[in-house]
Amino acid sequence: MKENNSSAQVRRFQLSFLYSVPIGILGGLIGLGGAEFRLPVLASVLGYSAQQAVPINLGVSLISIAASLAIRGSLLSFDLVFLLLPVILSLIAGAVITAFFGATMAGKLSNEQLEKIIFWLLVIIGIALIIEGFLPQEIPALLPASLGWRIPAGILFGLAIGLVSSLLGVAGGEIIIPTLVFAFGVDIRTAGTASLLISFPTVLVGVIKYASRGAFSNRTILKNTVAPMGVGSIIGAIIGGMLVGIIPASILKIVLGIILNISAFRVFHKAKSHAA
C-alpha cells in the first residue's frame, strides 16, 4: 500500500512537470502565465478537487510571476512603467481587496459550487481570448487621460481582477493586459511588465489567505505538484519567449481560447457526472 502511494506521488511529480512545460511555452508565446490551462490539468489529470486545485494553481502562479519579474528586471527598463504608477496602484488597490475576500469566499463554497464558478470563469476567459485574437494590438485608450477617470476605473477593474485571481488561482494577466492596452492605451510590452507588478501583490495576498486556512500544510503537495509545476512553468515560459513570432499571437489566442473552453466543459461535465 505504501509502495503504491509512493509510486502515485512519483507519477504526480512527473506529470506536474511534463504538463507545465508546454503550458508555460504556450503562455510565453502569447505573453501570459498559462495558469488558466493548468487548472483543468490539476482538476482532471492530477485528480485534485477544485478546493485543492485553486490554491495549488495560485502557488505555482506566484513562483512564475516572481521568476518573470526577475528576468524582466534584468533585461528591460521600468521607465515607461513608472509613468503608469497611479493606474498600477489603483489596480493593485482593488485587486488585493477582492483577492483576500475571494479566497475567503472560496473556502465557504462547496466543491460543486466552486467547480461551477470555475467553469463559467474559464469559459468567459476563453471567449475573451478568442475575441482578443481578432482585435488590433493597439487602439486609442477608451478612458480619458485624466486621473479623475483612470484611478476610479483602475480600482473597479482591480476588483474584478482580484476576484478572478483568487477563485481560479491565476495571475490575472489575461484580464490585466487587455485592460491596460484597451482601457488605458498602454503598449503591449509595457502592459506585460505592468501586469506582473499588479499580479504579484494580488497573488501574494491570495496565497497568504489560503495558507492561513491550511491549504499548503500538506508538504507532499508542495513537493510533488507546486515545485515541479513552478519549475516547469518557468522553463516553458523562457522557451515560449524565445519562440515569440514563429506563430502570430492572434492565431494562438483564438486556438487557445477554443481549447480552454473545451477543457472547461470536459472538467465540468466530469464533475457533474460524478455528482449525479
Side-chain angles (χ1 to χ4, degrees), residues 24 44 94 96 101 113 124 159 166 169 180 193 209 225 235 242 258:
S44 58
V96 295
F101 289 109
Q113 289 171 325
I124 290 167
L159 292 171
S166 60
L180 289 170
T193 305
K209 185 58 184 174
T225 304
I235 293 171
M242 292 167 62
I258 293 169

Side-chain angles (χ1 to χ4, degrees), residues 155-170:
I155 293 171
L156 288 174
F157 282 122
L159 292 171
I161 290 161
L163 188 62
V164 171
S165 173
S166 60
L167 290 177
L168 293 184
V170 301

Side-chain angles (χ1 to χ4, degrees), residues 10-264:
V10 170
R11 179 170 171 75
R12 183 170 271 176
F13 181 96
Q14 293 170 338
L15 288 172
S16 296
F17 180 79
L18 290 173
Y19 271 90
S20 64
V21 174
I23 289 172
I25 291 172
L26 292 172
L29 282 169
I30 62 173
L32 298 175
E36 306 78 16
F37 302 94
R38 281 198 306 267
L39 194 56
V41 171
L42 287 165
S44 58
V45 177
L46 298 180
Y48 288 107
S49 68
Q51 294 282 7
Q52 294 173 308
V54 170
I56 290 171
N57 203 26
L58 205 61
V60 177
S61 294
L62 186 63
I63 295 170
S64 301
I65 296 165
S68 296
L69 272 173
I71 293 167
R72 281 192 180 237
S74 63
L75 297 176
L76 301 174
S77 168
F78 282 85
D79 291 346
L80 292 175
V81 175
F82 287 136
L83 296 175
L84 289 170
L85 210 51
V87 170
I88 291 171
L89 292 176
S90 64
L91 285 163
I92 290 173
V96 295
I97 292 170
T98 45
F100 181 87
F101 289 109
T104 303
M105 183 176 78
K108 294 179 180 178
L109 296 169
S110 70
N111 202 63
E112 290 73 24
Q113 289 171 325
L114 185 57
E115 282 169 347
K116 287 181 182 179
I117 292 171
I118 288 171
F119 169 73
W120 286 111
L121 287 175
L122 289 178
V123 167
I124 290 167
I125 290 171
I127 292 170
L129 277 173
I130 294 168
I131 292 171
E132 193 183 340
F134 287 102
L135 294 174
Q137 287 297 303
E138 292 184 18
I139 62 170
L142 298 175
L143 290 171
S146 165
L147 290 180
W149 279 92
R150 295 195 159 202
I151 290 177
I155 293 171
L156 288 174
F157 282 122
L159 292 171
I161 290 161
L163 188 62
V164 171
S165 173
S166 60
L167 290 177
L168 293 184
V170 301
E174 68 290 330
I175 301 174
I176 299 171
I177 293 175
T179 297
L180 289 170
V181 171
F182 300 123
F184 298 99
V186 180
D187 70 272
I188 193 71
R189 185 170 229 188
T190 304
T193 305
S195 173
L196 293 172
L197 293 173
I198 296 162
S199 295
F200 187 78
T202 304
V203 171
L204 182 61
V205 166
V207 166
I208 291 170
K209 185 58 184 174
Y210 275 110
S212 72
R213 290 174 34 219
F216 301 105
S217 58
N218 189 329
R219 302 293 178 187
T220 303
I221 291 176
L222 292 176
K223 182 173 125 181
N224 292 331
T225 304
V226 175
M229 270 199 157
V231 173
S233 297
I234 293 167
I235 293 171
I238 292 170
I239 295 171
M242 292 167 62
L243 297 176
V244 167
I246 290 180
I247 304 173
S250 57
I251 293 174
L252 271 174
K253 285 178 181 178
I254 294 167
V255 172
L256 292 177
I258 293 169
I259 292 172
L260 185 58
N261 274 281
I262 293 170
S263 300

